[in-house]
Amino acid sequence: MKNAPLKLPEVRWVDPGRLTAGLDRHQRMDLSAHTRVHPPLPEPDQEDLLALAEAVGLSGRGGAGFPFARKARATLAAADRTGTAPVIVVNGAEGEPASAKDKMLLARVPHLVLDGACLAAAAFDAEEIVIGVAAGSPGEISVPAALAERELPCPARTVSLPERFVSGESGALIRGINGLPVTPALLKTRAADGAAGGVRRRPTLLSNAETWAQLALAARLGPDAYTAVGTAAEPGTILLTVNRPGADPLVVEVPTGTQLGPVLDACGLQPGAGVLVGGYHGAWLHPSVAADAPLSRAGLAALGGTLGAGAIIALPDDTCPLGETAQVAAWLAAESAGQCGPCKRGLPEAAEALAMLAASAVEPAVLEDARRALGAAQAGGACSHPDGTARFLLTALDVFSEDVDAHLSGPGCGRGVRGVLPLPLAKGARLEVDWSRCTGHGLCAVLAPGVIRLGPHGYPTSATIPVAPWQEHDARRAVNQCPALAMRLRRPV
């Protein structure tokens, strides 16, 4: 591992680190370094482990915040009912471009994550441990090396999944482990119940990589020491990914309830035009409230925000907020699974309206239609993707309302788009319109209505359109049947 070409996220901490302990001395902690930094791991039985998780209020750290003990009890009940051993799943398939905390854990302290998973596997008599990682991420190298170093209570394996936004959704992850397309299930099922929702139809206990690491910390510290920091309702620490313009993100560990202002200061940032908390399924905070915002689920909810997976972006004053938001909106629309109405129509239409707004080329009625579509998308999709995307876009329109007015009433805010909101390099297909050939027949919008929208004069509203995998069939039809031969479907080289 010493010579492995891993790109390891940089870490910082406010107050002494727990999850990040030892990373001031080690780039990556192998088993030897891990055992020098952390004391021996206890071996609690089933009831002791459940009681510990309840005593420290351990909740999921992947975004939903579901209580760990309740999920574990449901899994064990299903295992007893069916007479099958449960499966333990570590969700490290981080498809959020603004988040690096799980990549950091799996790359730099993999044994802390595995400690938590092994505790549960031993206490719950698990059949198998499965660790889901993003293809091409450091976890592909680091986790198998860590598994080879240690004794395990049951067989364990690593599964690599395509690096897409929806790959980290629990249903999509389990489908990928089962060898199916990595998309959310059409019908919502619970992994804990097994049947169609679990790994190989087994009752499955699935939690985020940070959740498993927190379980290992709680077992070593005990309830009193673990709850000595943080808030009474949400004790302990949390991992944040603080994104910086023109630099790699920082993974920062802070006690729950820490105000956002000191975290930004520690990373050399200011609230700027607004702060996004929770990543691209999170919510924007106005700079007037951002500095004092408490970094806890309850504290942010009181401000209309969400902690989500802990990704933070402070938007500088010298970039166009609507242009930045429009770029992410287009990416999120293309990243959807395209399995329900909000994803197939609502998100692409909202993304197109945002792009037109950023270009000061949208009518107020079109923007209001987009608001209504996003409102309908909330809690109306087959998975959480439409809901989270709608929250991201609607809070942007509220926080940047002055910019919205400037773009509706005149030439816009006068600022360019710096590309501060991080996005991966384009991997999917793009539909390109050759304006020298296009004559405005409009057939393309009939053949590919979810991809192409026409402006008031009958021409496509954009010359370059991202195409999701589920849209490619319609896009090819539009290319092949264009009377003017004005369209091309291209892929990145």
Side-chain angles (χ1 to χ4, degrees), residues 7-275:
K7 185 176 182 180
L8 305 177
E10 184 181 348
V11 300
R12 293 185 186 176
W13 44 88
V14 175
D15 290 337
R18 291 178 168 185
L19 296 165
T20 55
L23 292 182
D24 56 339
R25 306 187 300 278
H26 302 279
Q27 274 292 94
R28 177 188 180 274
M29 293 204 294
D30 59 13
L31 185 60
S32 175
H34 176 73
T35 55
R36 290 196 300 271
V37 170
H38 296 284
L41 192 66
E43 298 180 3
D45 62 19
Q46 181 179 122
E47 285 306 316
D48 286 341
L49 190 61
L50 291 170
L52 171 68
E54 289 174 338
V56 302
L58 182 61
S59 61
R61 303 303 176 94
F66 195 82
F68 176 86
R70 192 188 309 172
K71 186 189 296 185
R73 289 190 186 279
T75 305
L76 292 170
D80 289 341
R81 186 173 61 253
T82 60
T84 56
V87 174
I88 303 298
V89 173
V90 178
N91 187 352
E94 199 169 36
E96 161 73 76
S99 183
K101 70 182 183 72
D102 293 333
K103 291 183 180 68
M104 186 282 292
L105 288 170
L106 295 176
R108 301 192 64 179
V109 288
H111 286 287
L112 195 58
V113 179
L114 294 178
D115 280 349
C118 288
L119 276 177
F124 303 157
D125 295 322
E127 178 180 279
E128 181 184 29
I129 298 171
V130 184
I131 304 97
V133 301
S137 72
E140 275 195 316
I141 300 172
S142 179
V143 174
L147 289 173
E149 289 183 301
R150 61 187 293 153
E151 294 184 5
L152 299 164
C154 62
R157 60 189 171 108
T158 305
V159 174
S160 298
L161 301 157
E163 192 171 9
R164 292 195 62 213
F165 195 82
V166 297
S167 295
E169 195 270 341
S170 59
L173 171 60
I174 288 177
R175 282 171 57 82
I177 293 171
N178 286 337
L180 299 171
V182 187
T183 56
L186 284 171
L187 298 176
K188 293 183 179 180
T189 56
R190 294 199 310 168
D193 292 337
V199 174
R200 300 191 317 280
R201 304 180 69 85
R202 279 12 181 218
T204 300
L205 179 56
L206 182 152
S207 281
N208 171 262
E210 184 188 344
T211 311
W212 292 114
Q214 293 283 2
L215 181 65
L217 282 178
R220 287 187 167 97
L221 293 171
D224 292 341
Y226 185 91
T227 59
V229 301
T231 69
E234 301 174 48
T237 64
I238 52 175
L239 287 179
L240 308 168
T241 306
V242 181
N243 292 265
R244 303 174 295 170
D248 290 334
L250 295 172
V251 177
V252 185
E253 185 178 10
V254 304
T256 308
T258 301
Q259 290 184 324
L260 177 56
V263 176
L264 295 178
D265 288 342
C267 300
L269 299 170
Q270 297 296 320
V275 182

Side-chain angles (χ1 to χ4, degrees), residues 390-489:
R391 178 169 49 240
F392 166 76
L393 296 178
L394 288 171
T395 56
L397 293 174
D398 290 340
V399 169
F400 305 123
S401 59
E402 293 183 4
D403 296 274
V404 171
D405 292 341
H407 282 262
L408 284 175
S409 61
C413 64
R415 290 167 285 179
V417 181
R418 291 178 51 192
V420 173
L421 299 185
L423 288 173
L425 294 175
K427 297 178 182 178
R430 301 183 76 84
L431 196 61
E432 296 181 354
V433 180
D434 183 349
W435 295 126
S436 67
R437 290 176 176 267
C438 182
T439 55
H441 282 88
L443 179 61
C444 55
V446 175
L447 297 172
V451 183
I452 302 167
R453 277 162 293 283
L454 303 180
H457 302 293
Y459 290 85
T461 56
S462 178
T464 305
I465 306 164
V467 178
W470 51 270
Q471 295 174 318
E472 286 195 21
H473 174 73
D474 287 349
R476 288 195 195 96
R477 289 177 63 203
V479 169
N480 293 337
Q481 298 186 42
C482 174
L485 303 178
M487 311 199 83
R488 299 287 184 274
L489 189 63

